[in-house]
Amino acid sequence: MRKQLVIFLFEISKNIYTKFFKNDHIAWQVSTEDLLQFPTETFGFHLGEFLQQNNFQLIPKVERHDAYHTLTNYGTRVEEEIGLQYLCMGNGKKSLYMYGAILLGTLILSEYFGFYVKSFLVGKDANPFHHFDYEQVLHLDYFQFKSMIFSEKTIKTHLQIHSI
């Protein structure tokens, strides 16, 4: 029931956030099907796979969120969504939406706090990635791009904590 509450709050807040805080962002003109046409080694193809596996389309003006999922391998379970926000905070991202998601998510699903802290530390240990224009990196090799962000040590640590 608590997870359903968080999902409900995410859905409502997502629409408000994109309407009032993302006016200056231009939505990507790319679909899941377009992404799946990229060569298989590219970030774009992997993003398309993530979207297809989850039966998603990119959310206009906040496409980078799904790019974060693709880069970090965080899934879409509620606790992973909150963990992803912690990881981004650890990486230096600052946004009102992120802080709100962290605050509410932590209060509502406090039993995952250890996972959230570990996620924060993974983000802190990683090279900055929150500032990229992800539409411009779609053509990059996925594994090379990922290795520029996360060290081998971080990836091993991340794999251990990610199995929540």
Side-chain angles (χ1 to χ4, degrees):
M1 184 68 174
R2 291 178 298 130
K3 288 185 181 184
Q4 294 296 47
L5 173 62
V6 174
I7 291 169
F8 174 74
L9 293 171
F10 277 159
E11 287 303 315
I12 290 174
S13 62
K14 169 181 69 175
N15 296 329
I16 294 169
Y17 182 69
T18 55
K19 182 175 181 177
F20 293 106
F21 295 98
K22 294 292 184 174
N23 318 14
D24 59 340
H25 284 67
I26 299 170
W28 298 4
Q29 300 301 311
V30 64
S31 67
T32 300
E33 295 73 24
D34 295 333
L35 292 167
L36 291 170
Q37 297 304 310
F38 276 76
T40 58
E41 71 276 2
T42 63
F43 187 80
F45 179 82
H46 285 265
L47 176 57
E49 276 192 323
F50 168 79
L51 295 168
Q52 183 180 52
Q53 288 167 358
N54 290 285
N55 200 26
F56 292 163
Q57 289 292 327
L58 290 170
I59 300 168
K61 299 185 180 186
V62 289
E63 297 89 349
R64 83 174 39 231
H65 178 77
D66 289 324
Y68 292 159
H69 277 285
T70 303
L71 182 64
T72 64
N73 292 113
Y74 272 61
T76 59
R77 295 181 303 180
V78 175
E79 59 273 18
E80 290 178 292
E81 291 284 359
I82 298 163
L84 180 60
Q85 297 299 322
Y86 269 92
L87 192 148
C88 290
M89 182 172 66
N91 197 249
K93 182 178 180 190
K94 296 175 180 150
S95 99
L96 189 59
Y97 188 86
M98 178 194 70
Y99 294 129
I102 286 171
L103 177 65
L104 285 175
T106 304
L107 290 173
I108 296 170
L109 297 174
S110 60
E111 65 269 28
Y112 294 101
F113 189 70
F115 171 66
Y116 302 152
V117 170
K118 290 175 184 174
S119 296
F120 175 85
L121 294 173
V122 167
K124 193 165 180 58
D125 192 44
N127 289 318
F129 65 84
H130 62 89
H131 64 287
F132 285 113
D133 178 347
Y134 280 89
E135 190 175 17
Q136 299 302 312
V137 302
L138 295 174
H139 68 282
L140 294 180
D141 181 281
Y142 173 74
F143 295 104
Q144 285 181 345
F145 180 54
K146 191 170 184 156
S147 71
M148 291 171 33
I149 306 298
F150 300 105
S151 69
E152 276 195 45
K153 174 189 163 238
T154 304
I155 290 172
K156 286 179 185 173
T157 303
H158 171 67
L159 290 175
Q160 290 171 353
I161 69 153
H162 195 62
S163 56
I164 55 173

